[in-house]
Amino acid sequence: MMAQQGQLKPEENEKRKLLKKEKPYVYEKIMKYDEKIKRGESVAILQFQYDYTCNFACQHCDITKLRGKNGSRFFTIKDVKELSRQADEMGLAHIVITGGEPLVFPDFDDIVKAIDPQKFYITSDTNGWFLDAKKAKHLKNIGLDKIQLSLDSLSATEHDEFRRKAGSHERAIKAIDACLDAGLNIILATVVTKQRVRSQEFIEFLEFAKKKGVGVFVTYAKPVGAWEGNYNVLISKDDMEYMRELEKKYNVFTHLTPAYGLNLGCIAVKRMVSITKYGDVMPCPYIHVSLGNFFEESLKDIIQRGMKIKYFKNYIDTCLIAEDRKFINDYEIKKIYGKPLPVLYSEVFTKEDFID
């Protein structure tokens, strides 16, 4: 489902104009998204889990059980160059470097160079621990476009407990100003549970971001990783409607929020895939199913396979892994829980799940 390009918000138009000026090749690829979607093709952001090294041990960590492929082939800088080449040939334009904590990677600069900032809009996730003024300017200079900074409460105590790292809140707050001063685009990524979504704290959090002029990306709590089996944190459809009302007042959004003229519902596969350290391509960071392995098949073939699965091909106006209890029960609980991750698609989806 595709909205018209004329429906871009004023701030989105401004960002597009800046992109056209700074990265004309990336801009040209993005302007072809409309026709690609009409042909039934994916315009996926690549959420690239280059390594799982991290200096935090967060309560909700979703990659906890993805770390275990010891002895398996993993990404090298040479492989990153090949990933970039294949993604570029597919007309994809956005790569998010994640982990783990990317800013602890000793070869982070090499990763950015291998992706090629002239060919892609490049984002990095971070917890902000190492993101001071000097680092922010350096990241801008090497071609990074955007920071997605984790911040989960205005309360230092609550944030530090959630992230299990004393002092992490203070550093994250300082990182916001460091990015703004360096001219780096920045958004706050925040985890929202059933208990938090309607709280006064969350409203105050959005007010804080509004005053800073920074957008807020909401990640709904998922019963995966360290939160496997934790269904008490899951939001409801009513909570999602409440969030849509908040979107009218604040610069807050979820992966379901129409943006840049795109209204695709659940973005798994059609607008995002996750690539693990070991080459497995998953529908999103939280559906731990391997659609195929990059070291064994082309990225194009793997994504095309994913686009044949009805849950990812069709327009779905919910988050399958955060709200849809039937999907969680029928697939996550019955077919994924208890197995080495990620589970191969053929063990999770049946013939009836595929669309010709």
Side-chain angles (χ1 to χ4, degrees):
M1 190 171 181
M2 178 71 177
Q4 297 300 312
Q5 292 295 336
Q7 294 179 335
L8 266 64
K9 300 174 184 177
E11 59 268 25
E12 292 175 335
N13 272 315
E14 288 303 313
K15 288 181 180 180
R16 282 282 171 89
K17 289 177 182 178
L18 184 61
L19 183 65
K20 185 177 182 179
K21 179 182 177 181
E22 295 184 346
K23 295 190 173 184
Y25 180 70
V26 178
Y27 174 83
E28 289 174 7
K29 287 197 286 186
I30 290 174
M31 295 309 292
K32 295 178 181 177
Y33 277 3
D34 191 20
E35 57 189 73
K36 288 175 69 66
I37 291 171
K38 288 177 180 176
R39 292 197 299 266
E41 298 177 20
S42 169
V43 291
I45 298 168
L46 303 185
Q47 198 248 15
F48 180 35
Q49 302 171 359
Y50 177 76
D51 196 1
Y52 296 132
T53 304
C54 191
N55 59 324
F56 282 18
C58 304
Q59 287 185 20
H60 70 305
C61 183
D62 62 284
I63 54 91
T64 303
K65 297 186 178 182
L66 292 173
R67 301 175 188 263
K69 279 197 165 185
N70 296 327
S72 298
R73 180 177 173 182
F74 53 84
F75 268 93
T76 64
I77 295 300
K78 182 179 179 180
D79 296 320
V80 178
K81 291 179 180 178
E82 177 60 18
L83 177 65
S84 172
R85 186 192 68 80
Q86 291 191 30
D88 183 43
E89 282 189 355
M90 293 175 65
L92 304 181
H94 189 174
I95 295 180
V96 178
I97 304 169
T98 189
E101 167 52 41
L103 297 190
V104 305
F105 302 164
D107 50 356
F108 183 87
D109 290 15
D110 296 328
I111 299 168
V112 174
K113 184 178 179 180
I115 291 172
D116 192 344
Q118 295 308 307
K119 293 181 179 178
F120 291 91
Y121 188 87
I122 305 176
T123 298
S124 180
D125 288 339
T126 183
N127 56 42
W129 188 264
F130 296 106
L131 187 49
D132 57 16
K134 182 179 179 181
K135 174 64 78 171
K137 291 176 183 177
H138 174 73
L139 295 177
K140 178 69 174 177
N141 288 337
I142 65 173
L144 196 74
D145 296 288
K146 183 177 180 180
I147 285 292
Q148 186 163 290
L149 176 71
S150 296
L151 185 66
D152 293 295
S153 177
L154 288 185
S155 164
T157 300
E158 290 180 5
H159 175 87
D160 290 1
E161 287 179 353
F162 187 70
R163 295 286 166 175
R164 292 174 175 160
K165 189 78 167 182
S168 60
H169 183 271
E170 180 182 2
R171 294 207 184 195
I173 295 296
K174 289 180 179 178
I176 297 172
D177 291 330
C179 289
L180 293 173
D181 291 343
L184 270 174
N185 188 11
I186 178 173
I187 61 172
L188 303 180
T190 195
V191 178
V192 171
T193 62
K194 177 73 172 179
Q195 295 72 26
R196 188 184 185 209
V197 65
R198 297 173 188 263
S199 70
Q200 181 60 31
E201 179 276 327
F202 185 51
I203 295 296
E204 292 172 358
F205 185 95
L206 297 179
E207 289 285 355
F208 166 79
K210 186 176 183 178
K211 290 178 182 178
K212 284 285 186 182
V214 175
V216 176
F217 173 64
V218 165
T219 298
Y220 289 131
K222 320 288 195 307
V224 301
W227 270 356
E228 182 176 302
N230 187 359
Y231 312 118
N232 293 328
V233 296
L234 302 186
I235 49 89
S236 66
K237 281 191 179 295
D238 285 344
D239 294 329
M240 294 172 72
E241 285 301 318
Y242 174 75
M243 182 63 67
R244 289 187 177 101
E245 290 302 310
L246 291 179
E247 291 175 19
K248 297 175 183 178
K249 184 176 180 181
Y250 300 100
N251 185 14
V252 58
F253 45 93
T254 72
H255 65 285
L256 296 167
T257 306
Y260 294 103
L262 301 174
N263 183 12
L264 303 174
C266 173
I267 64 172
V269 185
K270 62 177 74 72
R271 183 66 177 128
M272 169 176 276
V273 293
S274 292
I275 304 174
T276 73
K277 173 180 178 177
Y278 306 105
D280 290 296
V281 180
M282 305 185 300
C284 80
Y286 311 103
I287 300 176
H288 296 152
V289 174
S290 176
L291 300 172
N293 192 285
F294 175 75
F295 300 136
E296 299 169 0
E297 301 178 82
S298 72
L299 182 66
K300 182 178 180 179
D301 287 346
I302 295 170
I303 290 181
Q304 284 181 339
R305 176 183 296 127
M307 287 293 287
K308 293 179 181 178
I309 297 172
K310 63 183 180 182
Y311 294 105
F312 313 131
K313 175 71 172 179
N314 294 335
Y315 181 91
I316 296 178
D317 190 25
T318 192
C319 180
L320 292 167
I321 200 65
E323 185 279 324
D324 190 328
R325 296 303 183 95
K326 183 172 179 10
F327 182 91
I328 292 170
N329 181 70
D330 292 350
Y331 294 92
E332 185 67 29
I333 296 174
K334 292 182 178 180
K335 298 184 178 182
I336 299 176
Y337 277 5
K339 296 181 179 180
L341 301 180
V343 182
L344 191 63
Y345 71 94
S346 58
E347 297 179 32
V348 178
F349 299 110
T350 65
K351 183 178 180 181
E352 288 70 30
D353 293 321
F354 282 80
I355 300 171
D356 290 334

